Amino acid sequence: MYQATLSRRSYRFSDLRQLMAKASPARSGDYLAEVAADSAEERMAARIALAEVPLKTFLQQLLVPYEQDEVTRLIIDSHDALAFAPISHLTVGDFRDWLLSEQADSAMLAQVAAGITPEMAAAVSKLMRNQDLILVAKKCRVITRFRNTIGLPGHLSVRLQPNHPTDSLQGIAASMLDGLLYGSGDAVVGINPASDSLPLLEKLNDMLDDVIQRFAIPTQSCVLTHVTNTLRLIERGAPVDLVFQSIAGTESANAGFGINLALLAEAQQAALSLNRGTLGNNVMYFETGQGSCLSSNAHHGVDQQTCEARAYAVARHFSPLLVNTVVGFIGPEYLYDGKQIIRAGLEDHFCGKLLGLPLGCDVCYTNHAEADQDDMDTLLTLLATAGLTFLIGVPGADDIMLNYQSTSFHDALYIRELLGLKHAPEFADWLTKMHITDDLGRLRDTAANHPLLLALQGEQP
């Protein structure tokens, strides 16, 4: 039992799960799950009580039972007690103060990351203002490598997302060319296919690999199909760079995706066996999003933000090259409006970085949410200020296959110019070599005989 008194009224919370949920900022998903605070006053009382909870409690009082959930077992069994030692004496409130202090610099945050559980990260985020989430995330340094270096301070990468509603190779190639000529694609060139046809998926992999190899682009490709399809593609000899999978924070939610930890481990080993990376062996790419556990009725009464943080434990276990929260994609049932989407994006980025993940964000919304592109501009600017690892680049910010609104190649140009952010260094050198950017990283005018343009037209460069 946890309790706090506010305005001469005593509030009681039956267990840690309820306390965490009641302390969460208001969002439609938690109201849908009937776990949210009934009032702003109850929410504040829950935060007061949560601030007094020792961090050690999260290792003893498990929100999802150990015996029932392999994600819980992963969190507990892989917990690094030595990394936890410097902060083991703190309460959640003390942890917030410590994270905001000068003592918690980049080196110290990297040292303790393996000792922080997702529940600890989620708990402390509930006590933080937006500016706190930005400041702490900015101090976290997470660097990964495959064919280039992602996550360096002062850098921002972009996933080039050239989706097409019929998986037209020509349409995808046109969008890919558009993105490359705008300087996008250093995180990954990643296609969400409309089809699960293995022959078609193989053609998509072959096309991406052909472009990357022909023009010696220091980046990686990914066809974002189910992990079982990727395993079959590897068996067929397809040129697979990264293994993709959507993941969630409970075993039952992952089962809804048709996956478990053993399957992800098998896929990771299969990708590693191809030895396609030139600078590193981070071969996994994961996507997450608040509401995924609730949407499959697999949340165990845990609030959606804490469930999201638990997904990061799954991701962390497989040393991914990229992880991104598709923050507004699931819809207004879970994040109702721009305010909720902005807060969720900052929470996700903070928790992921604190846990040691290369976290990016698909700054996005669906057309039936109470949000617009101005809200996305705000979130993009805040996340980039907080040290975002990568964002999404879609032609015109309008994904014509998935039917949602994201960020564009122009948005990436805006945020790079505003904050002086650079491409991954190897990709930046390639852009200069290909006369796409000048020596200062600024876009150049592209001539009609540029080799990339000629390639799309079927001519020899």
Side-chain angles (χ1 to χ4, degrees), residues 305-325:
Q305 188 254 334
T306 301
C307 284
E308 170 73 3
R310 283 170 54 90
Y312 302 154
V314 176
R316 180 167 65 175
H317 185 64
F318 295 101
S319 303
L321 180 76
L322 305 166
V323 181
N324 73 274
T325 168

Side-chain angles (χ1 to χ4, degrees), residues 17 77 95 138-139 160 184 222 230 271 283 381 395 436 449:
R17 181 190 298 116
D77 295 347
F95 188 34
K138 179 74 170 181
K139 296 192 288 185
L160 204 173
S184 292
C222 186
T230 304
V283 297
T381 305
I436 295 172
N449 63 348

Side-chain angles (χ1 to χ4, degrees), residues 227 260-272 284 317-318:
V227 64
N260 55 38
L261 298 179
L263 180 60
L264 294 178
E266 179 186 354
Q268 181 188 34
Q269 290 306 310
L272 287 171
M284 305 298 282
H317 185 64
F318 295 101

Side-chain angles (χ1 to χ4, degrees), residues 136-174:
V136 176
K138 179 74 170 181
K139 296 192 288 185
C140 297
R141 301 278 185 261
V142 184
I143 298 171
T144 56
R145 294 178 174 88
F146 188 76
R147 291 200 188 100
N148 57 24
T149 306
I150 295 172
L152 293 169
H155 291 67
L156 175 69
S157 295
V158 178
R159 170 189 162 188
L160 204 173
Q161 184 170 300
N163 295 341
H164 193 277
T166 65
D167 290 331
S168 162
L169 296 182
Q170 186 175 11
I172 289 170

Side-chain angles (χ1 to χ4, degrees), residues 47-122:
R47 290 174 178 171
I48 292 170
L50 181 60
E52 299 302 318
V53 175
L55 292 180
K56 291 179 180 178
T57 304
F58 293 97
L59 300 174
Q60 302 157 355
Q61 298 181 28
L62 307 181
L63 304 188
V64 182
Y66 182 93
E67 298 78 14
Q68 299 176 15
D69 189 90
E70 69 173 357
V71 177
T72 298
R73 292 193 291 274
L74 174 67
I75 292 168
I76 297 302
D77 295 347
S78 63
H79 183 252
D80 189 329
L82 185 62
F84 182 55
I87 58 174
S88 61
H89 62 290
L90 300 177
T91 64
V92 176
D94 294 334
F95 188 34
R96 172 190 176 274
D97 293 342
W98 180 83
L99 287 170
L100 292 168
S101 72
E102 293 183 2
Q103 181 184 353
D105 58 14
S106 298
M108 178 58 74
L109 290 172
Q111 179 183 325
V112 302
I116 301 170
T117 69
E119 291 84 355
M120 295 175 194

Side-chain angles (χ1 to χ4, degrees), residues 1-4 10-25 30 33-39 42-50 53 57-58 61-64 119 123 126 299-306:
M1 175 72 71
Y2 298 89
Q3 64 181 33
S10 181
Y11 290 88
R12 291 179 173 82
F13 309 96
S14 59
D15 55 24
L16 190 57
R17 181 190 298 116
Q18 185 186 60
L19 180 65
M20 291 276 281
K22 297 289 188 180
S24 293
D30 288 337
E34 299 182 341
V35 300
D38 293 330
S39 66
E42 184 184 30
R43 183 173 298 112
M44 182 55 68
R47 290 174 178 171
I48 292 170
L50 181 60
V53 175
T57 304
F58 293 97
Q61 298 181 28
L62 307 181
L63 304 188
V64 182
E119 291 84 355
K126 298 176 193 301
H299 58 103
H300 297 269
V302 177
D303 68 90
Q304 68 180 37
Q305 188 254 334
T306 301

Side-chain angles (χ1 to χ4, degrees), residues 221-286:
S221 67
C222 186
V223 176
L224 281 72
T225 187
H226 193 270
V227 64
T228 53
N229 287 334
T230 304
L231 278 168
R232 294 189 187 101
L233 289 170
I234 292 174
E235 291 169 357
R236 291 163 67 107
V240 172
D241 287 343
L242 304 183
V243 173
F244 166 80
Q245 183 55 49
S246 295
I247 58 173
T250 68
E251 179 179 346
S252 48
N254 283 325
F257 285 140
I259 63 168
N260 55 38
L261 298 179
L263 180 60
L264 294 178
E266 179 186 354
Q268 181 188 34
Q269 290 306 310
L272 287 171
S273 72
L274 300 179
N275 197 31
R276 292 177 58 81
T278 55
L279 295 184
N281 59 0
N282 299 115
V283 297
M284 305 298 282
Y285 174 21
F286 296 118

